[in-house]
Amino acid sequence: MTPAPSSSLALQRLYHWERTTPDRTAFTQPMGGGLLKEFTWKDVVDESRRMAAFLKQQGFEPGARIAILSKNCAWWLMSDFAIWMAGYVSVPLYPTLAAGTIAQILQHSEARLLFVGKLDDWEAMRPGVPPGMPCVSYALSPDSVRERVDMRWDEIVARTLPLPGSPLREGSELATIVYTSGTTGMPKGVMQTFGAFAWAIESGLKRISVGSDTRMLSYLPLAHVAERALVEHGQLATGMHVFFAESLDTFARDLQRARPTVFFSVPRLWVKFQQGIHAHMPPQRLERLLKIPLAGRFLRRKILKALGLDQCQFAAGGAAPMPPDLLRWYTSLGLNIIEVYGMTENCGISHATLADMKRPGTVGLPYEGVESRIDPQSGEVQVRHGALMLGYYKEPELSAAAFTADGWLHTGDKGNLEEDGCLRITGRVKDLFKTSKGKYVSPAPIEDKLVTNPVVEACCVVGANYPQPFALLMLNAAAAAKSRDAAGRAALEDAMANHLMSVNHELDPHEQLETLILMTEPWTVENGLITPTFKVKRGVLEKRYDAQFDAWTSGGRKIVWAT
């Protein structure tokens, strides 16, 4: 694999926009109360230069780690640019982490300074920040942050002269340590270079049409590699216009404001969009109307405009499997969702489907330059290309174990190749479990079928050493509320019993589910049951509830309510 040319590296691209389009808007940032602040490329680079000069004044050693704890905003990206200009390495933290995890990452990375920005619960997070650690707040940091953090971005920028010249970083230099979202324990620090991100975005842009007229709404955590690559490095590569979301409550308005031409989301949000539409129009009626030529065209435009996606030219889903029926439903609206597949360790670049190649249930073909293979013994998907990680920070043994002897990355995913070359993910290598009958069960395909029911927010199929597998289902908020009265609970039980029968009809006998356990308590990042990217922590769920498994699965009941 050939490294990316130096001109494609992040800082070179940043200086290019400063030089060639200084007055063009780069960011649109909500400031609260309906106010917006626009940053031109000149503004972005000027503030980044001033903060870089401040960081260098602190006297940190070259390559020092500087952490960012904030929701997405203009200052998040300017912090990253400043860190790079100053010769340091950025360490992004998810803005929903518990204090204990924050403490682990800051200690493990040996971070020297922390940017503290937009947060919902700083008081709960603050105990994770070591006493005496220098912190810088943003203009959008809540009062609880600004009252306790002495250094403020705006004040630093106002009194500090910009860093002169155009300091550069080599492609082989470490750009960032991205801590994985940790479905299986302590997050691991994935080390990625400037060259890896450059290779990834160049390969990705050969598949995705993005240019200077592109509009994107940034709302998925920038601490995640997908948002980092597509938004940050995608913008540096193309000069596109990035809008930021203000809050969950204003998300619909944020979408309407941005009217993104490129929109990426996780399956959970695509499902919520669908549920919102069905709340206004029953699925059967919508399906009938869409089949009427004139009415169907009008209705499609109306629905997409209501979602803020009427200008969307490229829609994508990832981070978890997209149910095939959901993909087909959006196609019926005229929105072809591309399914993308990747991981932090390969800079998010591996496979994606094609808009003109309808292959629901697969993750499509490899990006240009990506090699992929299926291990004949384990069935594991393995990849190799120019954007693989250097390794895990301070973990030489884990780093070595992440690669095969001939340099291929272990993805941990099981899969198979279709006749047309498309990759189908069939589960996780380590998620396979054996029932007491000696049969192996792969939970992921069963979970894909379970979440097609609109009341199921998330699910987890378990059953190691039990005669048959069974499933834990988290109900959405509306269903949980409905379950509080006897009639609503009875209706839900009937509906889920029918859903169980329908799912089991599609499964082999050894995979068929014995019981569905319905849960109304949300699975959240805060209670440790999902990751910040909404992946279920299978091991944590099993450990929390395994003492109740025997009681739940005894008696032959098909539907059980967790208590």
Side-chain angles (χ1 to χ4, degrees), residues 252-546:
R253 293 201 300 273
D254 296 330
L255 261 176
Q256 293 288 343
R257 178 193 307 116
R259 303 206 91 76
T261 57
V262 173
F263 185 73
F264 173 80
S265 190
V266 294
R268 193 170 180 177
L269 186 59
W270 287 116
V271 170
K272 284 185 176 295
F273 284 165
Q274 182 192 47
Q275 291 171 348
I277 293 166
H278 284 164
H280 289 89
M281 182 176 294
Q284 296 81 2
R285 182 165 181 246
L286 175 61
E287 185 177 351
R288 286 197 304 272
L289 289 174
L290 289 175
K291 291 178 180 178
I292 302 172
L294 186 59
R297 284 196 299 272
F298 172 78
L299 189 56
R300 289 183 184 94
R301 287 196 299 269
K302 184 176 180 180
I303 290 173
L304 292 179
K305 188 171 184 179
L307 291 175
L309 296 177
D310 55 312
Q311 300 295 312
C312 187
Q313 300 165 10
F314 183 90
M322 292 284 291
D325 286 345
L326 184 68
L327 293 170
R328 296 186 187 99
W329 186 84
Y330 276 102
T331 297
S332 73
L333 293 180
L335 190 66
N336 294 316
I337 299 178
I338 306 302
E339 185 157 14
V340 299
Y341 168 67
M343 55 195 298
T344 310
E345 288 83 348
N346 60 27
C347 243
I349 289 292
S350 182
H351 292 67
T353 53
L354 303 172
D356 57 353
M357 187 179 184
K358 303 296 186 294
R359 298 294 277 108
T362 79
V363 293
L365 300 170
Y367 288 94
E368 184 173 319
V370 174
E371 299 176 88
S372 67
R373 71 184 185 187
I374 307 295
D375 180 79
Q377 278 73 47
S378 66
E380 182 192 41
V381 181
Q382 298 172 354
V383 298
R384 183 170 65 178
H385 58 65
L388 301 186
M389 67 173 181
L390 291 178
Y392 297 115
Y393 186 57
K394 294 183 179 178
E395 299 285 358
E397 293 183 2
L398 287 177
S399 298
F403 294 91
T404 66
D406 53 349
W408 293 70
L409 177 69
H410 290 291
T411 67
D413 289 316
K414 288 176 67 69
N416 54 60
L417 291 175
E418 308 284 300
E419 290 183 0
D420 57 5
C422 289
L423 173 64
R424 184 180 297 273
I425 303 297
T426 58
R428 293 286 293 171
V429 173
K430 292 182 180 179
D431 285 349
L432 283 176
F433 62 84
K434 187 187 290 187
T435 66
S436 62
K437 297 176 182 177
K439 296 286 190 178
Y440 280 101
V441 174
S442 179
I446 306 173
E447 291 163 354
D448 288 348
K449 298 178 189 300
L450 288 170
V451 297
T452 59
N453 190 296
V455 306
V456 179
E457 185 88 358
C459 68
C460 181
V461 171
V462 296
N465 301 317
Y466 283 80
Q468 290 293 134
F470 52 98
L472 313 178
L473 271 59
M474 184 193 96
L475 301 181
N476 64 26
K482 185 178 179 181
S483 72
R484 296 189 188 115
D485 65 76
R489 179 169 287 218
L492 281 167
E493 289 179 6
D494 288 344
M496 296 314 296
N498 289 332
H499 186 48
L500 174 62
M501 186 183 305
S502 174
V503 168
N504 278 342
H505 182 71
E506 300 179 35
L507 301 175
D508 291 334
H510 73 280
E511 298 175 310
Q512 291 177 358
L513 300 169
E514 184 72 23
T515 306
L516 299 183
I517 293 96
L518 307 185
M519 299 182 168
T520 58
E521 177 191 3
W523 301 352
T524 66
V525 176
E526 290 72 22
N527 64 23
L529 297 180
I530 62 170
T531 73
T533 53
F534 305 115
K535 295 176 183 175
V536 172
K537 292 188 175 182
R538 189 179 305 277
V540 176
L541 268 171
E542 289 183 338
K543 186 176 180 180
R544 179 170 296 192
Y545 295 113
D546 63 357

Side-chain angles (χ1 to χ4, degrees), residues 96-128:
T96 51
L97 292 178
T101 308
I102 292 171
Q104 284 179 318
I105 293 174
L106 292 178
Q107 180 180 9
H108 185 263
S109 66
E110 300 178 81
R112 304 296 300 277
L113 182 143
L114 174 66
F115 288 101
V116 185
K118 285 184 66 178
L119 296 169
D120 288 334
D121 196 0
W122 165 245
E123 289 304 317
M125 296 175 169
R126 190 167 57 86

Side-chain angles (χ1 to χ4, degrees), residues 213-227:
D213 58 347
T214 294
R215 299 187 302 278
M216 279 202 70
L217 179 67
S218 179
Y219 69 99
L220 294 174
L222 278 163
H224 189 273
V225 71
E227 190 83 352

